[in-house]
């Protein structure tokens, strides 16, 4: 895990320095930016492995930058952890809706931050996950972040992509909603279990009639990815 590059985006130099010291002690390389414009330029130029992004930034807010990064193909796959002093539920949900991978509220300990960082990076690059996977004409290519059905590209949102990637690498096993939250969302306690149902529904819709049978509902238990009929 060492050697990964972290971009710290915060308008307070003291906070950036505190985070950088903690991360460098844990063997991470750090880049720093004080606003969204500087951050965006660094992201395009240096392609960090993960971004720590403060919610409150001068000018363009952290949430707007996160939304922009998740829409651009070249930056959509870079994990984002939002940093904020705000604890209101709607802000947490907004952060996750635009594609943030985790959320940490100030003040936080350096140890907690490093632990969260490691967990998000581990989810972003699980073992063996870079190999293309194909099931009954449905293909997922992690290198290009593309999903195709019989060679035709499918339009899949970032959360649905992560859900499909997890399912395709963990076939024939039933997962509860709680397990899926842990594995795909990272166990963020403020994401309700019914959120899983919403994204399962979106994923099935994106897969279309040809492949939606792969995502199977197991009554009273959860969901399973299987090419075998129920």
């Amino acid at each position: 895990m060492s050697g990964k590059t972290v971009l710290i985006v915060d308008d307070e130099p003291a906070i950036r320095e505190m985070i950088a010291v903690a991360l460098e002690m844990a063997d991470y390389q750090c880049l720093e930016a004080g606003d969204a414009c500087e951050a965006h330029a660094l992201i395009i130029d240096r392609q960090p492995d993960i971004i720590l992004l403060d919610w409150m930034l001068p000018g363009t807010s952290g949430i707007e930058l996160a939304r922009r990064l998740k829409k651009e193909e070249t930056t959509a796959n870079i994990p984002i952890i939002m940093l904020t002093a705000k604890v209101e539920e709607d802000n947490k949900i907004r952060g996750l809706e635009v594609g943030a991978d985790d959320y940490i509220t100030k003040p936080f300990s350096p140890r907690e931050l490093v632990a969260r960082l490691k967990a998000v990076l581990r989810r972003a690059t699980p073992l063996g996950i870079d190999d293309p996977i194909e099931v009954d004409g449905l293909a997922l290519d992690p290198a290009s972040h593309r999903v195709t059905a019989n060679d035709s590209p499918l339009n899949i949102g970032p959360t649905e992509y992560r859900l499909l990637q997890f399912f395709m690498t963990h076939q024939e096993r039933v997962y509860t909603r709680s397990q899926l939250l842990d594995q795909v969302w990272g166990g963020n306690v403020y994401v309700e279990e019914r959120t899983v149902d919403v994204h399962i529904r979106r994923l099935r819709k994106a897969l279309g009639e040809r492949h939606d049978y792969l995502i199977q509902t197991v009554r009273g238990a959860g969901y399973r990815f299987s090419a075998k009929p129920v």
Side-chain angles (χ1 to χ4, degrees):
M1 194 64 73
S2 63
K4 297 275 188 182
T5 302
V6 182
L7 173 61
I8 305 160
V9 189
D10 196 301
D11 60 329
E12 295 183 47
I15 289 177
R16 292 202 307 270
E17 186 178 2
M18 181 271 288
I19 294 171
V21 167
L23 295 184
E24 282 163 4
M25 284 177 67
D27 263 355
Y28 293 95
Q29 296 173 12
C30 295
L31 303 169
E32 295 182 29
D35 58 45
C37 185
E38 188 184 355
H40 193 260
L42 272 173
I43 291 160
I44 299 304
D45 190 39
R46 302 287 295 275
Q47 284 285 311
D49 294 296
I50 188 166
I51 301 164
L52 297 177
L53 180 57
D54 188 43
W55 181 285
M56 297 294 286
L57 290 172
T60 305
S61 69
I63 203 83
E64 285 303 321
L65 178 60
R67 186 178 286 120
R68 181 177 172 189
L69 293 173
K70 291 299 177 182
K71 280 183 179 171
E72 292 178 14
E73 200 171 325
T74 53
T75 56
N77 298 343
I78 303 175
I80 296 172
I81 297 178
M82 299 296 295
L83 307 174
T84 181
K86 295 183 174 183
V87 292
E88 293 95 337
E89 200 71 15
D90 60 329
N91 287 328
K92 293 181 177 181
I93 291 165
R94 277 179 65 202
L96 293 167
E97 280 177 348
V98 299
D101 296 80
D102 204 351
Y103 198 99
I104 190 164
T105 305
K106 298 174 186 173
F108 48 82
S109 72
R111 181 184 289 181
E112 182 190 5
L113 179 63
V114 170
R116 294 281 194 96
L117 203 71
K118 281 182 178 172
V120 170
L121 282 168
R122 198 162 49 237
R123 290 201 305 274
T125 52
L127 293 174
I129 209 72
D130 289 335
D131 303 326
I133 317 154
E134 193 266 336
V135 177
D136 191 21
L138 179 71
L140 182 144
D141 183 357
S144 64
H145 212 72
R146 286 198 174 92
V147 179
T148 55
N150 302 323
D151 296 325
S152 298
L154 296 182
N155 187 18
I156 286 188
T159 302
E160 289 71 43
Y161 177 90
R162 292 202 302 272
L163 196 53
L164 180 62
Q165 187 175 31
F166 177 76
F167 273 138
M168 291 184 80
T169 52
H170 299 80
Q171 297 179 34
E172 303 298 340
R173 184 181 157 184
V174 178
Y175 287 92
T176 64
R177 290 168 180 81
S178 176
Q179 287 172 321
L180 289 170
L181 281 176
D182 280 345
Q183 296 292 335
V184 179
W185 281 262
N188 292 313
V189 292
Y190 37 81
V191 180
E192 294 182 17
E193 288 196 359
R194 67 176 183 221
T195 304
V196 175
D197 300 332
V198 172
H199 288 287
I200 291 280
R201 202 157 53 240
R202 287 182 191 166
L203 177 55
R204 282 178 173 150
K205 188 176 177 183
L207 294 179
E209 290 180 10
R210 171 72 180 82
H211 289 107
D212 63 1
Y213 80 94
L214 292 165
I215 312 289
Q216 300 173 0
T217 301
V218 182
R219 289 197 181 281
Y223 296 101
R224 171 179 58 214
F225 184 95
S226 176
K228 300 171 187 173
V230 179

